[in-house]
Amino acid sequence: MSIDESNVGTAVIRPGDSDWESARRFHSGIGEPAAIIRAASVDDVRGALRYAAAERLEVMIRGGGHSAWGGVPGGLTLDISALDDIVVDGTRVRVGGGAQWGAVAHALAERGLGLSSGDTASVGVGGLTLGGGIGWMVRAWGLASDQLVGAELVTANGEVVEVSDATHPELMWALRGGGGNFGVVTRFDFEAHPLDGVVVGVFGLGGDVAATLSVMRDLLADAPRELTVTYMDVPPMDPSAPAGAALTAVWAGTDEAAARAALSALASAPGVSEREFGVQDYPDVLMEAPAFDPEHPMPGFVGGNTLLTVLDDDTIAQLVDFRAQNPASVVLLRSLGGAFGDVAQDATPFPARDATWFAMAGAFDVPGMLDADARERAVAAWDAIEAKGAGVYGNFIASADPSVAARMYPPATMARLAAVKRQWDPANIFCRNHNVQP
């Protein structure tokens, strides 16, 4: 079928076109869509969805950052990265659906404000927020989606809808963690927080890492909510990111003495060495992502993530052992609780609000290093850890396997999401995601 492309509002890029090769490259790979549309306005988005409907194409949205879905073949890739305006009005910030968190952080810092966002400057606002958004200040202010108070959304039939708790409460509920299942969000409205800077502490770990993680767990059980701590152990990957085990603590505010006091038991634990400690500007806490070559994408990994209500010594030992048994692997732990746990379970689709830790482990699928036996051991080791969890975090899972959404959302949540899906996208046009079936 062919249609008059003048109705689309912008050029449709197809295989063989002069800009096809550049348009189909994304953060970490090269996509194989049937067509690509780069939208420069909301009207372009509406035209793109009309085009998709006429051509019977499923739609994959590419926001401003680390889209992991560019490799899913077929369909229409709708690139909205040009929709990146940021407008701050008092404590309300309106952010285009294609913006990146680094730009948002700079715009807010100029006005003494902050948001709990992702970890990395080049991560897109849209994907992170719609999936929940566990960031450096999750204990201070909750998820990125917890700060979402409104949105502009283009539906599958091209209607532009203003969404809020007052206008469309069920759709607003679904956008706070239900993923990109319901339309194209062209603008996000957040309520920001006063913030004059952050205190950042980085500590190296030596000796008995499991014992140190037990100290970290006990300390965070009743730590001030301004404090969020992350443990990561990584192999050598990037000269700018030191390998090995380290803790990064972020305090929402500039009270360095309070941050030191809150961290004293951890900082003085055996084998812990201070690498840096001090006040930073809010945007500086967002990391720069390592450069990826789409011609040589990062390998996949064997493992996963889970939200733990209890981080006991046995689970700590399993995570440390996972890293030890897989030389090319990464392990991460991030503290939750605080504002994250203040939100009632049924207030958003995000699972496990009683979780106290987010855990992730993955062995990189490097040929010659992860043979069949090693893969089997890594799968079994991770499955034993995930079995202790209360849910998984979709933003850390790139798989399009339909089972992922069922692992993300409890049955009652999935049923409620499906009801919203039936109202706003009954034909399941927006299915290139962790899909909720209408």
Side-chain angles (χ1 to χ4, degrees):
M1 179 185 290
S2 64
I3 63 172
D4 182 0
E5 287 188 18
S6 65
N7 292 327
V8 175
T10 189
V12 179
I13 306 170
R14 295 190 178 90
D17 289 346
S18 60
D19 48 357
W20 172 253
E21 288 303 322
S22 62
R24 72 193 188 107
R25 292 169 182 260
F26 61 105
H27 166 68
S28 54
I30 301 175
E32 297 286 351
I36 299 168
I37 292 177
R38 289 168 166 164
S41 68
V42 174
D43 282 343
D44 287 352
V45 174
R46 298 178 70 193
L49 295 179
R50 288 193 297 268
Y51 176 86
E55 297 283 348
R56 296 183 174 86
L57 294 173
E58 298 168 349
V59 178
M60 193 281 292
I61 311 303
R62 181 182 297 166
H66 296 189
S67 172
W69 301 100
V72 181
L76 172 69
T77 293
L78 176 52
D79 186 337
I80 63 170
S81 58
L83 305 181
D84 60 356
D85 289 347
I86 302 166
V87 178
V88 183
D89 181 8
T91 56
R92 186 63 52 88
V93 55
R94 297 176 176 87
V95 181
Q100 297 181 354
W101 280 111
V104 175
H106 281 285
L108 291 174
E110 291 173 359
R111 296 163 175 82
L113 298 170
L115 285 169
S116 182
S117 57
D119 294 358
T120 307
S122 55
V123 163
V125 169
L128 183 109
T129 301
L130 294 173
I134 299 175
W136 288 117
M137 291 173 279
V138 64
R139 297 187 73 253
W141 300 324
L143 301 170
S145 57
D146 293 336
Q147 301 152 106
L148 186 67
V149 295
E152 177 185 73
L153 179 139
V154 183
T155 68
N157 62 10
E159 180 185 1
V160 181
V161 178
E162 286 289 336
V163 187
S164 69
D165 289 327
T167 59
H168 298 287
E170 279 297 284
L171 181 56
M172 189 72 237
W173 170 84
L175 294 182
R176 293 183 173 121
N181 278 285
F182 312 101
V184 183
V185 180
T186 51
R187 192 197 74 239
F188 294 84
D189 301 341
F190 297 98
E191 186 64 25
H193 312 271
L195 185 71
D196 53 359
V198 295
V199 179
V200 177
V202 180
F203 304 89
L205 272 64
D208 189 342
V209 172
T212 304
L213 295 182
S214 296
V215 173
M216 179 184 73
R217 173 202 60 207
D218 296 343
L219 183 148
L220 267 296
D222 58 1
R225 61 182 52 204
E226 288 88 351
L227 180 66
T228 298
V229 177
T230 301
Y231 160 77
M232 183 174 283
D233 191 355
V234 297
M237 294 188 297
D238 185 332
S240 65
L247 301 174
T248 301
V250 176
W251 178 276
T254 57
D255 191 338
E256 189 171 345
R260 278 200 177 278
L263 285 162
S264 60
L266 185 56
S268 61
V272 175
S273 58
E274 183 177 310
R275 293 179 179 171
E276 63 177 91
F277 199 98
V279 176
Q280 296 184 12
D281 292 336
Y282 157 53
D284 292 341
V285 76
L286 299 182
M287 301 183 299
E288 296 298 328
F292 289 103
D293 178 2
E295 299 284 353
H296 302 90
M298 287 284 288
F301 69 86
V302 177
N305 76 78
T306 191
L307 296 155
L308 297 164
T309 55
V310 176
L311 178 63
D312 56 25
D313 288 344
D314 182 58
T315 305
I316 289 173
Q318 287 175 292
L319 288 164
V320 172
D321 187 62
F322 187 100
R323 178 73 180 91
Q325 296 302 317
N326 297 281
S329 66
V330 59
V331 171
L332 177 145
L333 276 170
R334 170 157 298 167
S335 57
L336 299 174
F340 169 84
D342 289 344
V343 179
Q345 186 58 65
D346 62 356
T348 76
F350 198 88
R353 287 291 184 160
D354 58 347
T356 57
W357 290 90
F358 170 64
M360 186 274 287
F364 291 105
D365 195 359
V366 179
M369 187 172 292
L370 197 67
D371 59 21
D373 289 342
R375 175 188 292 272
E376 184 176 342
R377 289 193 299 271
V379 168
W382 174 253
D383 286 349
I385 297 169
E386 186 177 319
K388 299 180 176 183
V392 299
Y393 177 37
N395 282 355
F396 271 44
I397 303 178
S399 171
D401 190 308
S403 68
V404 173
R407 291 163 57 210
M408 289 168 56
Y409 304 115
T413 301
M414 180 63 86
R416 189 173 170 185
L417 287 170
V420 179
K421 181 78 168 179
R422 284 193 295 273
Q423 179 178 357
W424 295 101
D425 183 24
N428 202 15
I429 296 297
F430 304 106
C431 63
R432 298 302 181 92
N433 47 39
H434 297 310
N435 193 229
V436 174
Q437 295 287 324

